[in-house]
Amino acid sequence: MESFPTELGILTCLAIFAASMWLPYVIGVAQVPEADGMPDGFIRPANPHLLPEWIHRAHRAHLNLLEQLVPFAILVILVDRFDGLSALTYWTAIAFFWLRVAHAVGYISGKARLPLRPIIFTAGWICCLIMAYAVFAARM
């Protein structure tokens, strides 16, 4: 049986994480009473700007995760396909995972304010660039 690379395991965990990030938002929205005259939340989603701040941040944290997960996932799959996995991709995948967890927790809680949250997001972007480098390096 072929071994399961850590990078693909991390990608699997990130996919589960992203698939679960709707929970804080939906739980928060369910706790907010509907005002008179407001449409049913299942017919028309609530305006996140009118919700409590942490619920709006939960929505944005989910979107930010998806913004980086999609390109990162494609790059991990490509680097695996081209047999380019290395110590660099191993540690980059681990760093990316924990950066995304820290970003989500910090964003939803409101504890990761300027400049911390943008630094964490930028570090995730750098992980994407490193993984892209690994794809190109594997093709040379």
Side-chain angles (χ1 to χ4, degrees), residues 17-18 21-26 29 46-69 99-110 112 117-118 121:
F17 183 49
M21 278 291 293
W22 63 274
L23 288 166
Y25 175 75
V26 170
V29 168
N47 181 344
H49 299 288
L50 302 177
L51 296 170
E53 290 179 2
W54 78 268
I55 298 172
H56 179 68
R57 290 192 307 266
H59 177 72
R60 290 293 305 143
H62 188 206
L63 293 178
N64 282 174
L65 173 60
L66 295 174
E67 288 167 359
Q68 284 194 331
L69 175 59
L99 286 164
R100 294 313 313 166
V101 169
H103 186 273
V105 170
Y107 205 162
I108 294 169
S109 70
R117 196 177 78 236
F121 189 87

Side-chain angles (χ1 to χ4, degrees), residues 1-113:
M1 182 153 106
E2 195 174 327
S3 67
F4 188 65
T6 299
E7 293 86 343
L8 293 179
I10 293 285
L11 196 56
T12 302
C13 292
L14 282 164
I16 294 166
F17 183 49
S20 303
M21 278 291 293
W22 63 274
L23 288 166
Y25 175 75
V26 170
I27 289 169
V29 168
Q31 293 175 358
V32 176
E34 291 182 15
D36 289 336
M38 293 292 292
D40 181 344
F42 286 103
I43 295 171
R44 182 176 202 167
N47 181 344
H49 299 288
L50 302 177
L51 296 170
E53 290 179 2
W54 78 268
I55 298 172
H56 179 68
R57 290 192 307 266
H59 177 72
R60 290 293 305 143
H62 188 206
L63 293 178
N64 282 174
L65 173 60
L66 295 174
E67 288 167 359
Q68 284 194 331
L69 175 59
V70 171
F72 188 79
I74 291 168
L75 293 166
V76 168
I77 291 167
L78 285 171
V79 80
D80 178 60
R81 171 72 174 85
F82 297 142
D83 295 322
L85 298 176
S86 65
L88 179 65
T89 61
Y90 173 89
W91 289 111
T92 300
I94 291 170
F96 184 79
F97 176 81
W98 288 112
L99 286 164
R100 294 313 313 166
V101 169
H103 186 273
V105 170
Y107 205 162
I108 294 169
S109 70
K111 303 238 186 258
R113 297 189 177 271

